[in-house]
Amino acid sequence: MDGNEIATTASSGSNRAVQIDQLSIASIENVEVFKAPIPSMSANAIGGAVNFNTKSAFDQKGRRAFAQVGVNMDSNDFSFSKSPGPGHGESAERRIYPVGRLEYSNSFFRNRLGMVFSAGHDYTNQLASSVTHNLNVTALPGTTLPAAPTLYTQDNVAIRRGAMSFAPNRQLRVRSDVSLNTDYRLTESIALYLKTTVSLYKSTNRNHGFTLTPGTLAAGATAKDYTTTGGTAAQSVSIFDKNTNSWQINPGLKYRAGDWKVDLVGGFSKSTNHYKNPDTFTSLNTTLGAVGWTMSTPLDNDTPSSIAQTSGPDFYNLNHYTSSQGNLASTAGQPRANHNGLVANNHRDSWDAKYSSRLDVQRDFAGASFPFYVKAGLASNEQIRAKRQDQKRWYWMGQDGVPTADDLTAAGAQLGRFAEPTPVTQNIPGWSLREPAYFSAYELYRFWQANPQVLQENTAYTAQQKIAGRQKVNEQISAAYVMANGKFNRLNVLAGVRVEKTEIRVEGYRVLPVTGAASVLPAGVDANSLAGVLAAYRSFVTRSDYRADPFPYLHLKYEWLPGLQLRASYTEAIG
């Protein structure tokens, strides 16, 4: 934004993808798209770059004021009455949400001081229900799969339906933003500016899942119809409230005199991300085996036209499901880090900060035999990124709080009491398939608060994630570049070179050997036990410096016709 990189926590992930939906673009004046990087850009822009230029009052004509108010609704919730959901304890409410924006720009003191102010608040209520249906492809009897590029068809391969999932999901996004850009014309040649933006974003997600995975297919199965025995039904819940706050502060100075252009630019950008749900679990996973059914699905659709259960316990009844957890009774009550749990919490906290500064100097030679300019500059960028992801899992222990084989049975779990109090459905127009009762992680959480013995924390997994989930990186890049751009009749040539030095400090973890002569495990200790995790997992810090070879750039553009251009580029970058 305004030539500076934007900090992004990327949902507490490990990549640097900027999540545009969490930023406000109300103050954007224009967008520059570079299909290939140029020397003045950071060398990590491998496939090009996008730059958002924000508004300046000096570019506006006179005083401007703008106000907008409205409401936002999902067409599937188009009603003025209150509706419950999407479950997990939320009270019923009207699914009509206000949105609004206010913008104002003006110049003062004889056009020496300019100001652009913008503030907005909006909601997006989204019904994201879906159906997914896998296809399994195998070779026909006595043949092998056709080699690429031959397309798979029903004539040369066997195509059968695989796992099918209902996913009644809902998401509510709330975004507020404020921006203030000020420009001050110090002299006719020098202008100062300060551009600031603050965005607050919250995404509330309530997701359920119901999956049928076929086992042994009966003879005569096709890509449209099949009957199975020994199949598996599963239910899952995923709940999270994602809070992302970000802000950018970009001060700068512009100097324009004759053929000279000088830009001195600074930048600070920070983004924070938090996933926290203090009054519920964030995921729940259950399973039900040894079931059979017949299913028919149109070839051009993922949604079945019919599902009829033919054997096994009723997979629409929650009391028949069991926890997908590891068998705690088989390990004498000792948790294992590789065990799944009935429920889990996925708390995430991360932040990303970027500090940047650059000096660009350009000299135009418009009066030469062919117009060209020469530009050179220095740049410094620092990124600090930290992530903490303390995840936890819990075993179902039953009412007695003692690990027994009965905890893994439907009779011992009696999970039907944790159904959503208000039925959750796909809510898709024209939907006619029967849906199961869905689990409520919130109801189970409330029951656990009153009966703490029914769940036991997997302390081995907690210890593992406490070490593995904490990471930090500090990257400092200093750079210099020189470039020139000239036009020879219809041919435009841009060439240059950039040099960079990178210094990186990383805090992470490593796992020491747990097998062989170098094993760090004490005798008789399981690698996934609490003692094994504490022996093998270690935090560590590493540093590295890297001075890259000069990055060359060459861009050619030939204007063949007014509406036809030929382009060719050669660039080198670092990924």
Side-chain angles (χ1 to χ4, degrees), residues 25 31 47 100 115 131 190 237 243 269 308 329 355 380 395 402 414 419 451:
I25 60 173
V31 179
M115 180 188 73
V131 178
I190 301 175
V237 177
N243 298 272
S269 178
Y355 306 85
S380 175
Y395 296 95
V402 177
Q414 301 179 34
N451 304 271

Side-chain angles (χ1 to χ4, degrees), residues 279 281 421 441-451:
D279 59 353
F281 297 110
Y442 177 77
E443 291 296 317
L444 178 54
Y445 184 89
R446 289 203 309 172
F447 184 81
W448 175 53
Q449 294 297 294
N451 304 271

Side-chain angles (χ1 to χ4, degrees), residues 285 450 514:
N285 293 281
V514 294

Side-chain angles (χ1 to χ4, degrees), residues 57-58 62-63 104-115 182-188 190 192:
F58 292 155
R63 181 187 301 123
Y104 177 81
S105 65
N106 202 358
S107 297
F108 308 91
F109 307 116
R110 298 181 181 180
N111 206 38
R112 295 191 66 181
L113 175 65
M115 180 188 73
T182 56
D183 298 82
Y184 182 71
R185 206 183 304 275
L186 190 63
T187 67
E188 288 300 317
I190 301 175
L192 307 175

Side-chain angles (χ1 to χ4, degrees), residues 47-127:
V50 176
N51 182 45
F52 300 100
N53 290 310
T54 57
K55 296 177 181 178
S56 168
F58 292 155
D59 298 329
Q60 313 294 318
K61 294 183 179 180
R63 181 187 301 123
R64 288 188 177 186
F66 170 81
Q68 180 185 50
V69 294
V71 295
N72 183 292
M73 299 177 66
D74 189 299
S75 60
N76 294 295
D77 284 329
F78 197 79
S79 172
F80 291 97
S81 60
K82 291 185 177 182
S83 62
H88 310 288
E90 285 87 348
S91 59
E93 62 181 40
R94 292 183 175 86
R95 304 293 172 176
I96 308 170
Y97 300 100
V99 296
R101 177 157 297 282
L102 173 66
E103 296 182 12
Y104 177 81
S105 65
N106 202 358
S107 297
F108 308 91
F109 307 116
R110 298 181 181 180
N111 206 38
R112 295 191 66 181
L113 175 65
M115 180 188 73
V116 178
F117 173 79
S118 174
H121 184 73
D122 66 83
Y123 291 82
T124 302
N125 178 39
Q126 181 180 2
L127 180 68

Side-chain angles (χ1 to χ4, degrees), residues 181-200:
N181 294 350
T182 56
D183 298 82
Y184 182 71
R185 206 183 304 275
L186 190 63
T187 67
E188 288 300 317
S189 302
I190 301 175
L192 307 175
Y193 62 84
L194 177 64
K195 301 185 176 184
T196 59
T197 301
V198 177
S199 298
L200 309 178

Side-chain angles (χ1 to χ4, degrees), residues 18 84 140 146 155 201 247 301 311 317 327 332 377 396 456 466 473 499 501 508 515 520 562 574:
V18 176
L140 293 172
D155 295 325
Y201 174 90
W247 53 94
N301 204 323
S311 62
N317 187 336
N327 188 348
W396 174 258
Q456 177 179 315
K466 187 174 183 180
V473 60
V499 293
K501 179 184 178 182
T515 60
V520 298
I574 185 171

Side-chain angles (χ1 to χ4, degrees), residues 162-164 211-215 226 228 230-233 291 293:
M164 186 281 306
T211 301
L212 294 176
T213 304
Y226 74 85
T228 184
T232 302
V291 290
W293 62 86

